[in-house]
Amino acid sequence: MPELPEVEALAGFLAGRLAGRTVERVLPVAVSVLKTYDPPLSALEGRTVADVRRHGKFLDVATDGGPHLVLHLARAGWLRWHDSLPAAPPRPGKGPLALRVRLEGGAGFDLTEAGTQKRLAAYCVAAPADVPGIARLGPDPLADAFTREAFAAALKGERRRIKGVLRDQSVIAGIGNAYSDEILHTARISPFALAADLPEEQVGTLYEALRSTLRDAVERARGRAAEELKDGKRAGMRVHGRTGEPCPVCGDVIREVSYHDSSLQYCAHCQTGGKVLADRRLSRLLK
């Protein structure tokens, strides 16, 4: 799933190619992709793109004086840029193509989604806050206003495990499964630690790890073409997706906790005092 660094890079990539250009057609191919109907997608056609921005994991294509096309790539969605799109309109079918945006002159982009879950979403709205997922977003972790004190206040009273709190978009916007693993490894904190129980010193360490991990990832992603971002994200991971490999800090084996539809990775030596976390389907710690 694209997270804050990749969506930030996609926003920059698209802004450089869309800003100042006119939308010719917006063609939904998969019925599941479109989440709003008023205004219709046709309201975007003939409009000039003013900018492309990021809100958490959402992409916001803003038109000049008109509606916004807001996109969420979910777990299996992706964006493919074309300097020249096929002239014939796409046909609905069983392929991965979900939405096509064509500019005057023939360039544009496709949204594709692999798999069968179909969570990729497109919204045509008068304002980004009309999208429920954007309206409930917590603070952006790279914003100047997101201070250590603001982070500590967000964790206060949270009786949930810190891994889940970091991923909660209403608490902090833009962090998902992969970067929460990376942040916690950098901070040397167990993913199962209760957020409210973290000592003040660990809260500060976690805050610095969060900011540095995301900033470094944004810098790695900046300027990359859309098709390079997935591989770039994987290459930058130190623990996430690296089960069985040596920890780059201590050399211990990277371990995994599996859920029904996802998994997390961590280093027992660095993060849990050597304790091996049980598979969460068993809901306990191995002694």
Side-chain angles (χ1 to χ4, degrees):
M1 177 186 290
E3 300 178 35
L4 184 156
E6 294 76 45
V7 179
E8 180 77 15
L10 281 173
F13 174 84
L14 284 178
R17 289 159 176 78
L18 297 182
R21 301 180 73 173
T22 302
V23 178
E24 182 179 280
R25 293 292 306 278
V26 184
L27 300 165
V29 181
V31 175
S32 60
V33 70
L34 187 59
K35 306 303 181 184
T36 57
Y37 302 95
D38 184 22
L41 283 178
S42 59
L44 294 158
E45 296 171 0
R47 297 282 188 177
T48 300
V49 176
D51 197 6
V52 183
R53 310 179 186 109
R54 177 186 62 78
H55 309 280
K57 301 179 193 177
F58 291 84
L59 277 168
D60 170 15
V61 180
T63 62
D64 189 7
H68 297 245
L69 176 63
V70 176
L71 308 170
H72 193 288
L73 297 176
R75 175 172 294 182
W78 200 246
L79 183 147
R80 301 181 185 278
W81 176 262
H82 301 273
D83 290 328
S84 180
L85 284 165
R91 295 183 179 181
K94 297 181 179 180
L97 183 59
L99 182 82
R100 173 166 289 173
V101 176
R102 185 183 184 90
L103 306 174
E104 287 187 357
F109 64 87
D110 288 337
L111 291 185
T112 62
E113 185 173 24
T116 59
Q117 292 189 338
K118 305 305 177 188
R119 295 178 180 176
L120 187 149
Y123 308 81
C124 184
V125 290
D130 293 338
V131 178
I134 292 180
R136 72 177 183 87
L137 285 177
D140 191 289
L142 294 184
D144 291 341
F146 190 73
T147 61
R148 174 174 170 167
E149 291 72 24
F151 180 57
L155 299 187
K156 188 176 182 180
E158 277 285 0
R159 302 304 301 172
R160 294 181 291 164
R161 301 193 187 282
I162 188 61
K163 166 81 173 179
V165 174
L166 292 178
R167 294 183 62 189
D168 187 336
Q169 300 303 294
S170 66
V171 178
I172 305 170
I175 301 171
N177 193 33
Y179 285 105
S180 58
D181 282 353
E182 296 297 299
I183 290 164
L184 289 167
H185 179 259
T186 299
R188 302 176 73 92
I189 293 173
S190 168
F192 289 174
L194 293 181
D197 290 349
L198 292 176
E200 182 178 349
E201 182 179 351
Q202 276 196 320
V203 171
T205 299
L206 183 57
Y207 172 78
E208 295 299 332
L210 185 155
R211 299 267 283 192
S212 64
T213 298
L214 294 178
R215 283 173 172 161
D216 289 349
V218 167
E219 286 305 310
R220 288 196 303 271
R222 195 185 307 277
R224 287 181 180 266
E227 61 270 17
E228 299 173 352
L229 287 171
K230 284 185 180 180
D231 288 342
K233 177 181 180 179
R234 282 192 288 265
M237 294 288 127
R238 302 198 307 170
V239 293
H240 184 79
R242 299 195 179 278
T243 303
E245 297 181 23
C247 170
V249 174
C250 71
D252 193 10
V253 65
I254 294 170
R255 304 175 191 273
E256 177 175 297
V257 176
S258 297
Y259 297 83
H260 72 282
D261 63 349
S262 65
S263 64
L264 66 84
Q265 284 77 42
Y266 71 102
C267 171
H269 183 270
C270 291
Q271 295 174 254
T272 62
K275 290 183 178 180
V276 177
L277 303 176
D279 189 302
R280 288 308 295 149
R281 288 171 293 187
L282 301 179
S283 301
R284 68 174 186 267
L285 292 177
L286 291 177
K287 301 299 184 182

